[in-house]
């Protein structure tokens, strides 16, 4: 019978042996991707979609992205910046991760990404892209795949002009992305702002705000409330009888297919702007939507589409350096080419490494089966970049 | 004027929701001496069970029964399985154990229901708005919420002050050993009290279903507000919980509604909006701080708890 001490020293040796090949034959081991995302609390479904779509891409490549074996280390940040910071520190120091992705919320990104960049790591964002990383403080190792936060809302402003609205009530939660949202909408909307309201990021009851909207008598309402917040807002909006009288124009993140499934008919008639929709033509997109539906038994959201493309973009760059992230310049150059089959259609990076792409107006209509569905209507902007690119010097 | 009236109604509605949660929390703390962080989980259990059943059967009524049943039974299971071991322990142990329960229940809910938010519609008869005043259309559902909350408050008051169970509850809170010496099974009373608290949390969850997103984590969101209510009202007191809930509901709603307008009288618009946003986030905590300064025991602390 072995003593406890022997057992412990034995397992320590075994662990040491297991670690050994890692340091010697770096090429044979998969590239580690630190995937920090929000998997708990309201909004947890967004992180779940982002994780699942990324995994789908890895699975379709049989454990490889761009032919390079990868290991995706998924961790939940719980929508807590401090928790995310601890996780990223551990991944950087203990796991030697150099490549990160996955973050949903801008406030988490702001807390975590500077640490990654300071350590010489790369961050490829499948979602959040706050203004603070797009302009003067842009960084050569930071890439955004989905959008720059403001463009979501700038294009909603363009759509509102197109629809002829003159007085808007605008609402967003009181945090960085919410402020970016209202700034972005104001930048392009030509009419008058009848009311500007900040909500709380943990708010679920919007009765007070709805009364303020009614009192302001606007032509339209623009609101940015992602995830569970958006579900509560749209439902209460319909219950208050506002849906029939004041039309709503929103960015796509306030009306993804999950929100739509949860609010049902309350969403009929809402207009949104987007860079991707499930009904987009193109073989690559159809294949993605079908594969996601088959594997996870739910309709892919816009968040899932972005994350799938993030995986493809990373794959294209990994292929160029054969998985060797120490060739940082070559990896960056390959990322910038954006040499991957984007399911949204045309895609390229602007000078600040944020997307330049087309934007579309979509509308909630009754589908063939009687359930509400997001239908693409018209293009609202072509080759649209963001308003911070000019101030970025790389 | 109409806006003020409407916002007052909104405040009342938020208040009764908070009351349903705070009543259970304060009952359990006042009588059993347990700090139950997992109270929000019972709210989530109620909301989820009712959403799942209402979706399957298409009947809000069956959903209501399922929500109440799941929360009540879940609560009693938690009392029998976990909290019973904690009565004699320090509060810190209780906080640790009930925090663990939050993680456990959230994990189970994710496994069973998933992270996708659930859809639950208000009953057809209660959807839509009713004209209370020329120019004031108010959602019927919110009026019903206010009605149910007030009804529950009255019922609870009657149970605690007029029934034999209520007498045992009140006596058990202050003179546990005496009650036991009289041959009353105090453990059974505790289980019942906890079940009652869980039932109220479940009711709040069912009611909240058609308003908010039913999903994992919804309990934690509302928990802090509930604790503020209990602290303001005075721990252990149902009347305190009612007063505290109404105050918090009104203060929260009215600052959100009117602080921006008032601040715009003295500040530029963009600064006023930003400051008002911050002010409305902390208004209830300011209220709590002020109450604690003047009355450290809360506004209406339970009798016998003050020594």
């Amino acid at each position: 019978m072995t003593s406890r001490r022997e057992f412990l020293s034995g397992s320590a040796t075994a662990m040491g042996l297991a670690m050994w090949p890692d340091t010697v034959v770096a090429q044979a081991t998969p590239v580690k991707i630190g995937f920090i995302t929000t998997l708990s609390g309201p909004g947890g479904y967004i992180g779940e979609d982002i994780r699942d779509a990324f995994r789908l891409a890895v699975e379709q490549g049989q454990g490889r992205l761009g032919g390079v074996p990868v290991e995706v280390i998924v961790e939940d940040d719980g929508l807590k910046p401090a928790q995310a910071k601890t996780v990223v520190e551990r991944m950087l120091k203990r796991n030697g991760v150099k490549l990160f992705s996955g973050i949903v919320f801008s406030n988490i990104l702001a807390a975590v990404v500077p640490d990654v960049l300071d350590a010489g790591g790369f961050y490829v964002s499948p979602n959040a892209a706050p203004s603070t990383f797009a302009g003067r403080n842009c960084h050569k190792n930071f890439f955004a795949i989905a959008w720059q936060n403001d463009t979501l809302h700038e294009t909603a402003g363009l759509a509102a002009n197109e629809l002829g609205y003159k007085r808007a009530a605008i609402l967003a939660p009181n945090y960085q992305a919410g402020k970016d949202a209202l700034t972005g909408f104001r930048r392009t909307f030509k009419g008058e702002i009848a009311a500007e309201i900040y909500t709380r990021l943990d708010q679920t009851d919007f009765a007070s705000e709805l009364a303020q909207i009614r009192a302001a008598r606007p032509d339209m309402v623009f609101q940015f409330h992602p995830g569970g917040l958006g579900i509560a807002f749209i439902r209460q909006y319909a219950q208050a009888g506002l849906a029939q009288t004041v039309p709503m124009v929103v960015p796509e993140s306030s009306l993804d297919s999950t929100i739509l499934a949860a609010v049902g008919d309350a969403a009929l008639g809402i207009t949104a702007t987007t860079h991707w929709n499930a009904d987009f033509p193109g073989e690559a997109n159809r294949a993605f939507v079908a594969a996601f539906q088959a594997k996870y038994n739910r309709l892919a959201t816009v968040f899932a589409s972005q994350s799938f493309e993030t995986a493809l973009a990373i794959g294209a760059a990994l292929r160029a350096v054969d998985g060797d992230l120490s060739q940082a310049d070559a990896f960056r150059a390959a990322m910038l080419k954006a040499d991957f089959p984007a399911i949204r259609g045309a895609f390229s990076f602007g000078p600040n490494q944020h997307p330049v792409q087309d934007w579309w107006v979509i509308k909630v209509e009754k589908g063939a089966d009687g359930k509400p569905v997001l239908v693409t209507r018209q293009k609202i902007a072509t080759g649209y970049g963001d308003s911070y690119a000019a101030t970025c010097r790389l | 004027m109409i806006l003020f009236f409407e916002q007052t109604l909104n405040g009342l509605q938020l208040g009764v929701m908070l009351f349903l949660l705070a009543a259970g929390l304060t009952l359990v703390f006042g009588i059993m001496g347990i700090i139950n962080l997992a109270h929000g989980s019972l709210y989530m259990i109620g909301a989820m069970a009712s959403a799942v059943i209402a979706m399957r059967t298409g009947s809000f009524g069956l959903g209501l029964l399922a929500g109440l049943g799941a929360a009540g039974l879940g609560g009693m299971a938690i009392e029998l399985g976990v909290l019973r071991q904690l009565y004699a322990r320090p509060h810190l142990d209780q906080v640790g154990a009930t925090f663990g329960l939050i993680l456990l229940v959230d994990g189970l809910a994710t496994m069973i229901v998933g992270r996708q938010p659930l859809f639950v519609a208000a009953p057809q008869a209660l959807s839509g708005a009713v004209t209370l005043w020329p120019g004031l259309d108010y959602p019927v559902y919110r009026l019903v919420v206010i009605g149910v909350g007030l009804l529950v408050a009255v019922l609870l008051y009657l149970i605690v002050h007029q029934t034999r169970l209520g007498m045992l509850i009140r006596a058990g809170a202050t003179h546990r050993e005496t009650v036991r010496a009289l041959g009353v099974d105090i453990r059974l009373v505790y289980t019942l009290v906890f079940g009652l608290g869980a039932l109220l949390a479940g009711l709040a969850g069912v009611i909240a279903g058609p308003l908010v997103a039913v999903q994992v984590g919804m309990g934690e969101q509302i928990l802090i507000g509930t604790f503020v209510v209990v602290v303001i009202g005075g721990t252990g007191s149902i009347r305190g919980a009612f007063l505290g809930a109404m105050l918090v509901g009104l203060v929260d709603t009215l600052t959100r509604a009117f602080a921006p307008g008032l601040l715009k009288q003295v500040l530029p618009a963009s600064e006023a909006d930003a400051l008002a946003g911050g002010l409305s986030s902390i208004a209830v905590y300011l209220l709590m701080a002020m109450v604690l300064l003047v009355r450290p025991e809360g506004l209406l602390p339970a009798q016998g708890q003050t020594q």
Side-chain angles (χ1 to χ4, degrees), chain B residues 152-173:
Chain B
V152 169
V154 172
L155 278 179
L156 207 57
Y157 185 82
L158 290 179
I159 289 177
V160 172
H161 289 274
Q162 305 290 334
T163 67
R164 188 177 156 75
L165 176 66
M167 187 187 74
L168 288 176
I169 287 173
R170 281 177 289 137

Side-chain angles (χ1 to χ4, degrees), chain B residues 8 30 62 90-91 99 113 131 141-142 144 166 213 217 254 258 264 266 268:
Chain B
T8 308
L62 285 178
H91 282 157
F99 184 71
V113 182
T131 307
Y141 190 78
R142 287 186 190 270
V144 174
L254 294 179
F258 297 112
K264 269 180 199 149
V266 289

Side-chain angles (χ1 to χ4, degrees), chain A residues 39 41-42 44-45 48 174 196 200 203-205 207-209 211-212 214 228 231-232 235-236 239 258 262-263 298, chain B residues 3 6-7 10 13 115-117 119-120 137 139 142 209-213 215-216 221 252-253 256-257 273 277 280:
Chain A
L39 289 171
Y45 81 84
E48 189 178 41
N174 195 2
E196 175 169 337
R200 286 201 303 261
Q203 192 170 329
T204 52
D205 195 330
S208 165
E209 287 75 12
Q212 289 172 67
R214 207 192 327 252
I231 295 173
R235 270 193 195 174
Q236 293 168 20
Q239 280 162 2
T258 298
V263 295
R298 60 179 193 270
Chain B
L3 186 62
E6 182 176 5
Q7 296 292 18
N10 288 334
Q13 186 252 314
R115 286 197 186 86
Q116 302 289 319
F119 174 68
V120 44
D137 292 340
R142 287 186 190 270
L211 288 172
V212 304
Q215 57 184 340
V216 174
Q221 274 186 317
D252 186 77
T253 306
R256 274 193 287 145
D273 281 323
S280 63

